[in-house]
Amino acid sequence: MGYRLSNPKRFGLARTSKQRWHLWRTQMTQLVTHERIHTTWAKARALQFVAHKTFKLGQDASKNRSNAINRLMGILTTKFAIKKLINEIVPKFKDPKEQVFKVVETKRRKSDFARMGYIEFAKNEIAKYEESQYKQLQETGKIVDISKYNKTWLIEERDFIKEKLDQAQSRFDALQADPNTPSVEIKRANQDVNFFKRKLETVEKDLWIENKNPLDMRRYFRIY
C-alpha cells in the first residue's frame, strides 16, 4: 500500500524534522526553477506533498492574496522561483482536475542500487524537447522502435513456420497414402508436423502479446 500524501512524516528519509524541511525547501525551489529534478524515488514521492501545497499557494498568490505570498516566501528560497511559479507555471494549469505533477521511476543507481526517479511539472519544456528529439532520432534511424521491430520479426517468423508446417503436413499425408512406407518414416514425419505446430502456437502467442495494450497485459497476467 502506498504512502498517503496527506501525511509527509511517513517519509522519514533518515533525517530529523528540521533537516527534512530544509531538504524539501531546497528541492522545491529547484523544482520550480528547473521544472524537473532527478532524485531518489523516496524523496520524489515525499516531495509531492510539499509540491501540491506550494502550487496551491501559488494559485492563491496569483489572485493577489498577500498571506499566500508570505507563506510562499517561507517555502521557496529565491525570489526568482516565487515569480516564476506565480507568473509562468500557475497560468498553465487552468483546469482544476488537470494533473500538475508527475513522478516517474528511472533506472536504479549503480553505486548502491537505490531506486531513482524524477518529479516534474506536467507541462514543461523539457518533456516537449525530449519528445521532439526522440522523434527526430527515430526518423533518422539512430533509434530503432523495438515494438515495431519485434512485430515485423515475429510476422516473418510466423510466415516461415507456416510454410514449413505446410511442407511437413503434405509430406506426412503423402507418406500415409503410400502403403509401402515404413512406419518409422511416418512417425518422424508426424513428429515434424507436431514440432512446427508447437512453434507456430508459440510465435502467434508472442505476436498477440506484442499487439496487446500494456494495461490489458497487466490484467491478463495479474501483475499488480
Side-chain angles (χ1 to χ4, degrees):
M1 184 177 178
Y3 294 113
R4 293 183 179 178
L5 293 177
S6 60
N7 191 359
K9 293 181 181 179
R10 288 176 178 269
F11 295 91
L13 302 178
R15 288 170 173 80
T16 63
S17 59
K18 188 175 181 180
Q19 291 171 342
R20 208 159 47 234
W21 175 243
H22 285 298
L23 170 68
W24 284 339
R25 285 192 68 194
T26 305
Q27 285 194 323
M28 192 62 223
T29 305
Q30 294 298 316
L31 177 60
V32 174
T33 304
H34 303 289
E35 300 188 24
R36 176 193 286 182
I37 56 170
H38 190 262
T39 180
T40 60
W41 178 248
K43 289 177 185 176
R45 288 291 306 276
L47 188 62
Q48 277 184 293
F49 171 79
V50 184
H52 281 284
K53 292 287 185 183
T54 307
F55 182 75
K56 287 181 180 178
L57 288 174
Q59 287 179 322
D60 293 339
S62 63
K63 299 174 183 176
N64 296 324
R65 295 179 182 176
S66 59
N67 185 33
I69 297 175
N70 293 333
R71 291 178 66 185
L72 269 180
M73 292 173 65
I75 298 175
L76 302 178
T77 58
T78 62
K79 293 181 179 179
F80 173 79
I82 296 172
K83 290 179 180 179
K84 184 176 180 180
L85 178 65
I86 297 171
N87 299 328
E88 295 182 24
I89 296 177
V90 170
K92 292 181 182 178
F93 304 93
K94 296 180 180 179
D95 187 3
K97 296 182 180 179
E98 199 170 9
Q99 183 183 6
V100 180
F101 298 98
K102 187 166 60 174
V103 181
V104 180
E105 186 174 5
T106 57
K107 292 182 180 179
R108 288 179 177 265
R109 191 161 55 194
K110 291 183 179 180
S111 58
D112 56 355
F113 207 61
R115 293 177 69 186
M116 302 297 291
Y118 62 82
I119 180 171
E120 65 176 358
F121 285 95
K123 295 178 180 179
N124 64 81
E125 299 300 325
I126 301 172
K128 293 178 182 178
Y129 173 76
E130 287 178 347
E131 187 177 352
S132 63
Q133 286 293 106
Y134 185 78
K135 287 181 179 178
Q136 188 177 354
L137 290 173
Q138 271 189 336
E139 290 172 358
T140 54
K142 294 181 180 179
I143 292 180
V144 180
D145 192 343
I146 298 174
S147 178
K148 289 183 180 179
Y149 175 78
N150 288 340
K151 288 178 185 178
T152 306
W153 183 79
L154 286 170
I155 289 170
E156 291 178 358
E157 187 180 11
R158 182 192 63 185
D159 297 339
F160 175 77
I161 293 172
K162 277 185 177 181
E163 185 180 350
K164 290 292 183 182
L165 178 60
D166 293 338
Q167 293 175 3
Q169 187 67 47
S170 59
R171 182 172 177 272
F172 175 70
D173 294 339
L175 291 174
Q176 267 194 329
D178 189 359
N180 298 323
T181 305
S183 60
V184 179
E185 289 189 17
I186 296 175
K187 187 176 181 180
R188 287 177 181 172
N190 189 27
Q191 287 176 351
D192 291 341
V193 172
N194 292 331
F195 170 77
F196 285 116
K197 280 183 179 179
R198 289 195 298 270
K199 289 288 289 181
L200 184 62
E201 287 177 1
T202 304
V203 173
E204 285 182 344
K205 184 178 180 181
D206 292 341
L207 189 60
W208 176 80
I209 290 172
E210 198 67 34
N211 290 325
K212 288 292 285 184
N213 190 327
L215 182 60
D216 294 338
M217 292 314 303
R218 286 181 60 184
R219 293 170 180 168
Y220 177 75
F221 290 111
R222 297 188 178 278
I223 300 172
Y224 299 105

